[in-house]
Amino acid sequence: MSMSAPIAPPTAVLIHGLSETRAAWSRQADFLQRFMRVISYDVRGFGASPVGRGNQTVEQMADDLAQILSAHDASPAWLVGFSMGGVIAQRFALDFPKMVQGLVLVASSCVVGRPGQAFFRSRIDQVTRGGLAAVASITDGDARGCFSMGDEQLIAEYQQLRCGAVRDPHGYLNACQAMLRLADDPLMPELGGIDCPTLVLAGELDPYCPPRASEMIAGAIPGAELAVGPKAGHCMHWEAPEITNDLIRQFLER
């Protein structure tokens, strides 16, 4: 009598944004673990991950992720990326297509326009001159800008998370330089090569990656779905976790 091996649950890999750690996914990890294997990690230069020989490219960050998935025997996986994490997920899907089952891109972008260039250049300049003290002074304002609904308790929690995320200013600078490269080398012309299921989520009131940025991604990836979280800012997965989680669950079930 033959017996078939149990079917392993799908894997979701959670990729955080700039000046965050994997703790940023607390509102999604527990929910997703009900029906998936969940892996979260600290991106190079943040949290417990040293910057090492960072070469200021998203390609290197995608390669880091490939090594993590290989070490955990976790591919193909669903990649859930927020902001910078969404950029890493897009690059990964282009460079390692056989390791990807699908994408969920939350408040992300595929190109850095003039406002984004000014944003990253300003922070690169401040942190180059001021080190960790400059990171700390930048963090409070940037964290507050991620929210639109005025929940002070939520904002304070997020500020605390971001304040503890950067231990080495070179890690922050490495990530900012990698993102700034999207100004001259955008992902958008390549996105037509992504052929996995893709869900793109945007916060209606996001000032950093507005819905137009998500529309560009969804329009460039064949078959991608787009959903907008009403009244939510950049951190829609914090401000509207139930809506975000339901959209992700419904997408994965389809």
Side-chain angles (χ1 to χ4, degrees):
M1 183 166 124
S2 63
M3 296 181 65
S4 59
I7 299 175
T11 298
V13 180
L14 311 181
I15 316 168
H16 66 75
L18 182 71
S19 291
E20 293 184 345
T21 70
R22 55 187 171 178
W25 291 110
S26 61
R27 289 159 175 79
Q28 282 67 52
D30 289 346
F31 173 81
L32 292 173
Q33 282 172 351
R34 299 175 193 172
F35 53 94
M36 305 183 78
R37 176 191 183 193
V38 175
I39 296 173
S40 57
Y41 71 103
D42 292 340
V43 172
R44 175 186 292 262
F46 298 102
S49 296
V51 64
R53 296 184 178 179
N55 66 10
Q56 305 178 345
T57 69
V58 178
E59 284 83 358
Q60 184 183 50
M61 294 176 176
D63 188 72
D64 291 341
L65 177 54
Q67 295 182 53
I68 291 169
L69 291 187
S70 295
H72 285 82
D73 191 22
S75 66
W78 292 91
L79 305 185
V80 183
F82 165 68
S83 196
M84 181 185 75
V87 174
I88 296 170
Q90 292 170 69
R91 184 72 261 167
F92 187 91
L94 291 165
D95 293 349
F96 304 96
K98 293 183 179 179
M99 299 181 77
V100 181
Q101 194 163 351
L103 302 175
V104 177
L105 308 174
V106 184
S108 193
S109 59
C110 60
V111 62
V112 171
R114 290 182 181 177
Q117 292 176 49
F119 176 94
F120 287 113
R121 286 182 177 136
S122 168
R123 281 143 187 81
I124 289 167
D125 178 63
Q126 292 178 66
V127 175
T128 298
R129 290 185 288 107
L132 281 178
V135 174
S137 67
I138 290 168
T139 294
D140 272 4
D142 283 356
R144 178 171 290 278
C146 289
F147 294 85
S148 67
M149 298 182 185
D151 186 329
E152 290 299 326
Q153 184 174 346
L154 202 63
I155 293 169
E157 180 186 346
Y158 188 62
Q159 287 173 327
Q160 184 176 15
L161 183 148
R162 286 185 62 139
C163 281
V166 182
R167 302 179 182 180
D168 180 351
H170 293 98
Y172 180 88
L173 290 170
N174 181 72
C176 286
Q177 292 282 10
M179 292 298 293
L180 187 56
R181 286 176 183 266
L182 293 182
D184 296 323
D185 189 19
L187 290 170
M188 190 172 180
E190 300 181 64
L191 294 185
I194 294 178
D195 62 358
C196 62
T198 301
L199 172 65
V200 185
L201 300 179
E204 180 187 12
L205 303 179
D206 184 347
Y208 296 139
C209 295
R212 176 59 187 148
S214 291
E215 291 169 5
M216 291 171 66
I217 297 172
I221 298 177
E225 301 177 30
L226 173 66
V228 178
K231 300 182 180 179
H234 190 53
C235 284
M236 68 170 290
H237 56 313
W238 278 54
E239 286 194 299
E242 294 85 4
I243 292 174
T244 302
N245 292 347
D246 281 345
L247 288 168
I248 294 173
R249 177 185 56 79
Q250 292 167 15
F251 173 70
L252 295 178
E253 288 177 349
R254 287 197 295 275

